[in-house]
Amino acid sequence: MCRTRGLRGWLNPRIGKRRSGLSRSHDPRSVLVTKQVPRVEELGAGFTPRLWWTLILLAAAVALDVGSVAVVNPALPDIGRDLRMDDALLQWTMTGYGITFAGCLLFGGRLADVFSRRLVLAAGIGVFAVGALAPVVVPTAEVLIAARAAQGMGAALSVPAAMALLFQVFPPGRLRNRALGIYTAVGAASFGVGLVLGGVLTSAFGWHAVFAFSAVMSVLVLLGIRPLLPSSVGDRRPVDLPGAAMVTAGLLAGIFAVTRAGEVGLSDTGTIVSALLALLLLAGFVAWERRAPEPLFSVGILRSRPVRAATLAGALFFFALNGVLFFAPLYMQGMLGYTPLQSGLAVLPMSLLVAVFSNVAGRLLSRFGQRRVLVAGLVLLAAGVALWLRTPLDGDYLTHILPGVAVMAIGQGLAYTALTAASLTGVPGARHGVAGAFNITAQQVGSSVGIAALVAFASALSGSGEQADRLSTYHAVYLVISCVVIVGALVTAALFGRRADDRAPEVGTPVTG
């Protein structure tokens, strides 16, 4: 008890004390009590050095999640040889992370709303750091897979808390849009940087260095949390533990079923049992939430038109992006003779351009609004995917690959910044954590289900196995992705509606629809 109190005191020195100027008695559902920190617009034009460091810290927290996925990829062959893991077991170093991350997101988001966001962020980064350090200390296959699952759980706590803190510190308007652009740009750049860094660390020091680096970066983020981030007390309502258990277990079972279906097929007993269990648990979650006094996920969040649009856009975004990133390396390595490192470097400009255009999007949001920027981004993303239809058997990088990479990247930078802003628009401040987690869950589901569906579609079209037939299959996949995103962009525009001006939304003021 004393140790818990000491940790909470270190992260939240004013917990339990009454704060002047703020009272929880007015609206306990929508008021988040925070330490009195200067709002950006009260500080004059632009960011102060402290606000810059705050933004860097929050962006670094999300970069740990995105970068940790990429930085491990180049090390996989060495890990497999060193720990004697076959391909089926090795892929669980990635799948284990993704399953726990997606499965625990809603629970992590709700914890950020109920408890101090700073505390939840620190707890998530701490779990992530332990997961990164474990395979360095005990390098076995079992420990590695468990550690990656722990890292996914840590990211599920830290990412929604970081997003909610960003919206807490930066008020609505031009500077929040700019902060969102930078936040998104760092996350995007960390993927490309992670690919290159993983290759360099593995080549120079071995695969252990990849995890040691993640542990060190996690500790640096932890050290900056208390001095840079405002303390806060959530709405102090009970956590819906039965609902959290059902939705977490249901999502874990569902994503496991999708992953297993991609590996061994839909007729596998494990796939069928997992899918049925997921349906049962998620149906039970919906039924429970309808009568729970303090539900984990409030359906009222979906009354906001921008939130509904952002949910669909998030699923479409990662369906398209990860669909291309799954099939493009097969083309580059299988038909053009690229090495794994060369195929990774081939898509590196994507991360760099996303970083640039995420900043551009932050400025465009203030001028044109979320709806126009998001729809334009999705259309450009679809156009970039369509450019992969031009790839021939003997393709040239500058002529046939780079144009698709570049146009996709521009669309990503615009779309992701806009959908991040829209995902919390009209949501009370006390629900930002779970609303952000809900959007990220939609992204993960779109990616997992989308890739499984695309792989099944490609398998159904596969013919003789000749390169020409395989290339035709890849082109059919790209065409499907592009058409789905175009239709989704039109639906996204309709979900926004035309009534509200979303150029500088007052996040926290409920939007009816």
Side-chain angles (χ1 to χ4, degrees):
M1 183 71 172
C2 294
R3 288 184 182 179
T4 304
R5 205 169 188 181
L7 174 64
R8 289 173 63 80
W10 177 76
L11 290 163
N12 250 345
R14 296 189 180 182
I15 280 184
K17 294 183 179 180
R18 193 176 188 86
R19 289 161 176 80
S20 59
L22 285 173
S23 171
R24 295 176 47 80
S25 61
H26 298 299
D27 186 1
R29 289 183 177 270
S30 61
V31 176
L32 187 80
V33 180
T34 60
K35 183 174 158 183
Q36 295 299 306
V37 291
R39 302 280 276 184
V40 176
E41 286 143 346
E42 295 170 359
L43 298 168
F47 290 72
T48 65
R50 179 184 176 84
L51 283 167
W52 272 115
W53 282 111
T54 299
L55 180 58
I56 290 170
L57 179 72
L58 293 173
V62 77
L64 282 175
D65 165 48
V66 178
S68 73
V69 175
V71 78
V72 174
N73 271 344
L76 290 177
D78 283 9
I79 292 173
R81 285 191 297 269
D82 193 14
L83 302 184
R84 298 179 181 178
M85 301 170 69
D86 59 23
D87 289 346
L89 187 60
L90 187 63
Q91 63 95 19
W92 278 98
T93 61
M94 307 303 292
T95 303
Y97 182 98
I99 287 177
T100 54
F101 176 63
C104 298
L105 269 168
L106 279 178
F107 185 52
R110 183 56 183 149
L111 288 180
D113 290 336
V114 172
F115 300 105
S116 163
R117 288 169 179 167
R118 188 169 75 176
L119 175 64
V120 174
L121 176 64
I125 298 296
V127 172
F128 189 94
V130 171
L133 190 60
V136 179
V137 178
V138 186
T140 66
E142 295 79 8
V143 170
L144 175 62
I145 293 172
R148 289 292 286 164
Q151 283 189 293
M153 191 178 299
L157 295 176
S158 63
V159 172
M163 184 187 294
L165 280 162
L166 182 77
F167 276 69
Q168 177 182 326
V169 173
F170 295 91
R174 180 178 60 85
L175 291 177
R176 177 184 286 176
N177 291 336
R178 186 182 176 193
L180 274 171
I182 296 170
Y183 178 83
T184 306
V186 172
S190 64
F191 186 85
V193 172
L195 286 174
V196 176
L197 185 62
V200 171
L201 289 174
T202 304
S203 300
F205 306 106
W207 65 267
H208 301 80
V210 169
F211 291 94
F213 175 80
S214 293
V216 170
M217 294 304 297
S218 301
V219 171
L220 291 177
V221 172
L222 271 175
L223 292 175
I225 286 177
R226 186 175 185 273
L228 290 174
L229 297 179
S231 61
S232 60
V233 178
D235 62 7
R236 288 301 189 198
R237 292 177 177 272
V239 177
D240 178 18
L241 291 178
M246 282 188 283
V247 72
T248 299
L251 288 171
L252 288 173
I255 295 169
F256 176 82
V258 170
T259 303
R260 189 166 178 82
E263 295 172 2
V264 297
L266 292 171
S267 60
D268 175 71
T269 303
T271 302
I272 295 171
V273 171
S274 298
L276 291 175
L277 181 61
L279 289 174
L280 181 63
L281 287 168
L282 292 176
F285 169 72
V286 172
W288 171 262
E289 291 298 287
R290 288 181 178 275
R291 60 187 182 86
E294 296 294 337
L296 177 72
F297 178 75
S298 174
V299 180
I301 290 173
L302 295 177
R303 294 195 185 104
S304 165
R305 285 180 175 270
V307 170
R308 296 200 299 266
T311 302
L312 174 62
L316 287 169
F317 183 98
F318 280 89
F319 161 74
L321 174 61
N322 290 335
V324 171
L325 291 180
F326 181 88
F327 287 95
L330 300 178
Y331 166 71
M332 290 186 283
Q333 296 178 37
M335 298 181 184
L336 303 185
Y338 284 24
T339 66
L341 179 59
Q342 285 174 327
S343 65
L345 291 173
V347 297
L348 180 60
M350 180 180 288
S351 293
L352 301 178
L353 285 170
V354 171
V356 171
F357 281 91
S358 294
N359 275 299
V360 173
R363 294 177 172 84
L364 293 178
L365 283 173
S366 300
R367 183 172 181 181
F368 298 106
Q370 296 167 1
R371 179 175 179 268
R372 292 184 180 89
V373 175
L374 178 51
V375 172
L378 290 175
V379 170
L380 285 171
L381 178 58
V385 175
L387 287 175
W388 285 85
L389 291 167
R390 302 168 55 251
T391 50
L393 286 172
D394 56 348
D396 174 72
Y397 178 73
L398 292 178
T399 305
H400 300 109
I401 296 177
L402 185 59
V405 168
V407 177
M408 280 184 68
I410 295 171
Q412 290 171 59
L414 299 180
Y416 197 72
T417 305
L419 75 87
T420 301
S423 68
L424 299 187
T425 297
V427 179
R431 289 282 181 173
H432 279 180
V434 75
F438 178 72
N439 187 264
I440 300 170
T441 302
Q443 297 168 19
Q444 296 296 311
V445 171
S447 172
S448 301
V449 175
I451 289 178
L454 291 172
V455 169
F457 174 72
S459 299
L461 292 181
S462 60
S464 63
E466 297 292 329
Q467 285 198 337
D469 287 337
R470 287 165 50 207
L471 183 61
S472 296
T473 299
Y474 297 162
H475 286 173
V477 168
Y478 300 144
L479 181 61
V480 167
I481 294 173
S482 185
C483 291
V484 168
V485 175
I486 285 292
V487 173
L490 296 176
V491 177
T492 299
L495 287 174
F496 264 107
R498 295 178 175 273
R499 289 181 296 172
D501 180 8
D502 60 0
R503 283 174 290 183
E506 288 294 330
V507 176
T509 302
V511 178
T512 59

